[in-house]
Structures are given as C-alpha cells and as structure tokens.
Amino acid sequence: MRHGNALRDAIGAAGTTPLIGVYDMYSASIAASHYDGMFVSGFGFAASHYGLPDIGFIAWPDMLAFVERLRGAFPAHHLLVDVDDGYGDPEVACHVVRRLERVGASGVILEDQKRPRRCGHVAGKQILPLDEYLDKLERVLACRTDLLVVARTDATDEDEILRRAKALAATDADVVLVDGVRDVAAIRRIRESVGDKPLLFNQIAGGRSPRLSLPELGEVGVDVAIYSTPCLFAAHEAMDRALAGLRAADGRLPAAEDEHGIGVVQSIELLNRNLRRARTAPAL
C-alpha cells in the first residue's frame, strides 16, 4: 500500500481532512474507532514517552519504533508524523525520513525551528535562516519516494510568515503549515500566499490558534487539520479525576458502569480489534 498517496488523495478530496493526535498505542486504539487518520504529535510523544515538555528531547529511534508499532496495528490508517527539525542536520533528517517511510509512515512534518526548539504554540521560538531550512527541506524531498512531506514554518512576524509560506509553497513539499496562527484573517492571508498548495492548520487546546470546526476551516481554504492533543489532555483530566475519586473512596474501585461502561471486558475488546485488523490487513 502506498500510504503517502493515500493521504494525498484524502487531502485532495472535498472538505478538510482531520488527523487526530495520538501519544501511545492505547490512545491510537481509541482514535482508530472514530477517525481514519492519526497524527503522531511531538508534544504528545515527548509527554508520554519521556514525561518531558516538547523542547527537543525526542530521540528519532524512539519515534521510529512507535510508528512501526502503529502501522502494524493500523494498516489502513493515515499516519502523519511530527519529526521536529529532522533531529539534526540534513543527513540525519534524510536518514530518519527514509526509515519512517520504510516502516509505513504516510507523511512527515519538517519544521524550520532551530534548537533549542519549542512547541509551536508557545513563546521563545527561534527559526533557521530560510535558505538553510530550504536546503534541508529539498534534501528530504529528494530522498523520499511516496512519503507526503509537510513544510512547516514557525515564524511569528507577519511579513516573515507570508514570505516563508510563499517560499515553502514554491517547493515540491506536498502541504504547507504555519504553526501558531492567531486568527482567521491570518489564515486567509496565508491561504492567498501559498496559492494552490494544500494548507494545514494545527489546533491545540489552550494554544494560540482559534478553535474552528471542520466546515469553518474549509471555508477559509484549509485542506487538512491536525488535532495534536485531544487524547492526551482528555486522558490527563480523566486520570486525575479517577484517582482523586479513588483516594476519596479510600481505595474502593467504582463499578464499571459508573465509569461510562469501561472495564476489563471493554478494554480487552478494544485491543482485540487491533489483532483482528492486523490479521485481515492486505500484504504490502
């Protein structure tokens, strides 16, 4: 299966394609029941795998191993992977991209930040000179075969955002992402700058960008939307509430029906779906 082309087709279809951020195999198992596209978020992976903020701690072999497990369990889902700055110089970035494509990633997002990097929705981001980023991007594009590549800028100055968006759109990157966009008017300006190139929008709870529905995003010309953290933040809230309740009850577990019907039976059934999906997957 050519995973990159499958994702291209989805993005090229009418409407805005949603990709849901997953941070481990369990969250992916739940997301797979609701959506056919997943986003491997650097924010979520750093939080779940290391218990650290998204400031450059991720080691690419860890990300590669996670994507390989995801593809094994979800053979037909779109898997877009955040690779930050490519984890180093262009040689490293190309090596990582080749390996990710080999294990079944549908696409990657490559950003123009320089280290120390930051989450795209927080202050303090620094960006590479445009020509340096474009060199890395072009080398990544040259080394992929089917893999979809999203070119991302973290510029914050409006003139620089539009300059970079236009430059990224002029490359062979499949999609352009400007992270941390603050309002709908800015999305419209970016849409105009990138011409016919597909545009990606990143939504994160509590982030800098406006909360927009898929129809609203479609109206302003967004082709694909990534939802970085709904699974992670929902799990945070639910676990905190459940453990506070357990402490208040002096360690007595609630009945399964009191937790929206989730108990060992429902959990095992969720995981058994992954087994069935893998068994019936067509050969690559």
Side-chain angles (χ1 to χ4, degrees):
M1 180 181 294
R2 297 179 66 81
H3 299 294
N5 279 340
L7 181 54
R8 283 185 192 88
D9 290 344
I11 292 172
T16 303
T17 300
L19 301 174
I20 304 303
V22 298
Y23 62 89
D24 66 3
M25 294 300 296
Y26 203 88
S27 65
S29 302
I30 296 171
S33 299
H34 299 274
Y35 291 89
D36 61 7
M38 302 181 195
F39 171 53
V40 184
S41 157
F43 187 109
F45 189 79
S48 63
H49 199 82
Y50 306 106
L52 294 170
D54 184 23
I55 56 174
F57 287 106
I58 296 173
W60 68 261
D62 293 336
M63 180 63 83
L64 180 72
F66 180 43
V67 174
E68 186 173 28
R69 291 196 301 273
L70 282 171
R71 180 52 75 202
F74 310 104
H77 280 69
H78 307 303
L79 299 178
L80 180 64
V81 184
D82 182 3
V83 296
D84 295 341
D85 61 351
Y87 308 108
D89 63 26
E91 288 295 334
V92 174
C94 288
H95 178 71
V96 172
V97 164
R98 291 189 195 100
R99 294 285 300 273
L100 282 169
E101 184 167 20
R102 199 174 304 152
V103 300
S106 306
V108 297
I109 299 177
L110 182 72
E111 68 188 31
D112 64 357
Q113 283 198 52
K114 65 180 179 180
R115 300 199 173 212
R117 67 171 309 283
R118 296 286 183 269
C119 167
H121 286 254
V122 303
K125 297 186 294 183
Q126 302 177 76
I127 54 176
L128 294 168
L130 181 57
D131 59 349
E132 185 176 339
Y133 172 69
L134 288 176
D135 175 66
K136 181 185 287 188
L137 175 63
E138 292 290 358
R139 291 174 68 176
V140 164
L141 290 169
C143 79
R144 56 93 183 256
T145 53
D146 170 62
L147 193 77
L148 178 140
V149 175
V150 179
R152 163 179 159 175
T153 181
D154 281 85
T156 54
D157 174 78
E158 182 174 339
D159 290 339
E160 186 64 12
I161 286 173
L162 298 180
R163 182 175 85 96
R164 291 197 175 222
K166 187 173 182 178
L168 303 190
T171 71
D172 288 332
D174 299 278
V175 180
V176 171
L177 162 61
V178 177
D179 210 10
V181 179
R182 292 180 176 271
D183 54 53
V184 171
I187 299 173
R188 293 185 187 278
R189 289 191 292 270
I190 295 164
R191 172 73 275 170
E192 184 176 351
S193 294
V194 302
D196 294 332
K197 185 76 72 172
L199 182 64
L200 186 152
F201 181 71
N202 180 19
Q203 299 207 82
I204 181 169
R208 297 183 173 206
S209 299
R211 295 184 302 115
L212 299 172
S213 68
L214 291 173
E216 288 169 335
L217 289 171
E219 288 174 5
V220 295
V222 171
D223 301 279
V224 54
I226 52 176
Y227 294 82
S228 298
T229 57
C231 293
L232 180 71
F233 292 170
H236 181 153
E237 180 183 2
M239 286 189 285
D240 192 55
R241 185 171 59 248
L243 294 177
L246 185 65
R247 187 179 185 92
D250 289 331
R252 186 187 302 278
L253 285 170
E257 57 269 21
D258 294 339
E259 294 298 308
H260 310 290
I262 303 300
V264 66
V265 172
Q266 292 78 14
S267 181
I268 291 173
E269 172 53 26
L270 174 72
L271 301 176
N272 277 334
R273 286 180 215 159
N274 295 342
L275 279 178
R276 293 193 294 269
R277 197 181 295 112
R279 287 172 185 152
T280 59
L284 297 180

